[in-house]
Amino acid sequence: MRTVTVNGDALALADVVEVARGRVAAELGEKVAERMAPSRRVVVDAVEQGAVVYGVTTGFGALADVSVSGDDLARMQLALLRSHAAGTGEPLPDEAVRALLLLRARTLAAGYSGCRPELPARLLELLRLGLLPVVPAKGSVGASGDLAQLAAVALPLVGEGRLRQAGDSDRYGRAAGEVLAEHGLAPLRLEPKEGLTLINGTEPMQALLALGVADADLLAKAADLACALSVEALLGTDRAYDERVVALRPHPGQLASAANLRRLLAGSPLLASHRHSAHAVQDSYSLRCAPQVHGAARDVLGHCRRVLEIELGSVVDNPVVVPDGEGAGTAEAYEVMSTGNFHGQPLAFAGDLLAMAAAELGSISERRVYRLLDPATSRGLPPFLAPAAGTNSGYMLAQYTAASLVSENKVLAHPAGVDSIPTSGNQEDHVSMGWHAARKAGEVLDNVRTVLAVEVLCAAQGIDLRAELATPGPATGAVCAAVRAAVPAMHVDREITPQVEAVRALLPRLVAAAEEVTGPLG
């Protein structure tokens, strides 16, 4: 298994996703301790000298003016973790927690947080052992980052909170102290600033959005693929995807989507069978304007990816220890500074935009499903794609499902990042709601995956029903073959849900099947 080295530098988005999904390991770089040493020395000196430093020798948030000294410093850090572990709701899935462990270790290893290397090392040790903190999904306003979620990640380091083994059916795990003991790990004892260091940051938002962007990449390709199948099933035309036409409005996403559709439909006997017929002069918007809609979603996805790429190399802790440019090599060369880098607004906007873009992929897909099922718009297909319509209802209710999810997405696409509610005695008087944005984006993407599966299922049935006219093209034919290997054509009604779920799970394989013919899709 390939290993990602965590040395404090920016992580690649693809590496984060691969680690999160258990396909790649992670380890701490050899020189991380050296990189972290100067900022740690500054924190130790501040404590020894009795300097007033937020979160080190003072309380937190609205308690920043309360001084703390002596033995209370370490107790304060542990108390911080306990008091901030206030999340609720269902635990985050394994892949999100794995990403969280990796991302927080990366931030600490960057060397601006003033903590010991034992902290990122222990986070990565849990990741290596498949021991995942139980992290509640609700309870963050995206203010000082996602405090409740990061506190749930941090508590097991000190032997508190809960841990579960990756893949456990019991998602609520067991007492962390017991699990650590079983693996021969002693709880860490926090030193000054280390509790605060563990819980300030945007890594939970980063984790969900990294996974969301990866999922959206797949869905953008699947949307083009589903559309190509529908074009064939509906006896549509590919003329609107002509390179000369789309070049007149050269948005990058539009160009990529149109190029995909041309390649997916290349050599299609179904398209050739009616290329010069009167009905193929102009298709409905859901077919003709697919590159414009899919492409706009792709461009938004590109923006979200760029935001994440910056975030995956950023330091989002508070306070941070930064060089002041003088006295190089000494503690005096550094300064402890308060920062607002933990504020989640860039990620909140990215999450909101990702949800809106994905929702539109589902919206236009559902319209193509409707056209496939309605004999008034399907150009000769039987009602609801049922060969014996009347006795059978065909895929009538599959469209209900798609319509329901599209409507749900309209609610979920309402922006979270324009909301704010004051917390911490009004010290945190503007918050990002980025955690809500990231969670909602994940729900929208999950819904869209189902909608696209419905379209693929219905379009494949439509192509089957055109068999006497002509066959699909090489790429779409390979996709239809892969669908039929898992889901036989429905000549007589049978349960729809298993069919949709099978195609939904198959989407990555369907994209791969098309790419084996077309080469990589854009």
Side-chain angles (χ1 to χ4, degrees), residues 460-518:
Q461 178 86 350
I463 288 172
D464 286 345
L465 293 168
R466 302 288 192 192
E468 292 185 3
L469 176 63
T471 60
T476 50
V479 171
C480 287
V483 171
R484 287 293 166 249
V487 183
M490 190 170 73
H491 303 295
V492 177
D493 282 359
R494 64 179 189 270
E495 189 179 355
I496 301 295
T497 299
Q499 300 179 57
V500 175
E501 289 300 320
V503 175
R504 182 187 145 89
L506 204 59
L507 281 184
R509 174 64 194 125
L510 300 183
V511 170
E515 291 183 327
E516 288 169 9
V517 177
T518 65

Side-chain angles (χ1 to χ4, degrees), residues 10 19 31 41 71 77 110 128 165 182 234 240 300 333 338 368 400 429 437 440 446:
V19 171
K31 296 185 177 181
R41 183 69 253 170
D71 294 338
Q77 299 299 317
R128 183 184 70 81
Q165 193 76 41
E182 291 172 3
L234 289 166
V300 169
S338 289
R368 294 190 292 263
Y400 283 43
D429 56 354
K440 291 195 304 91
D446 191 63

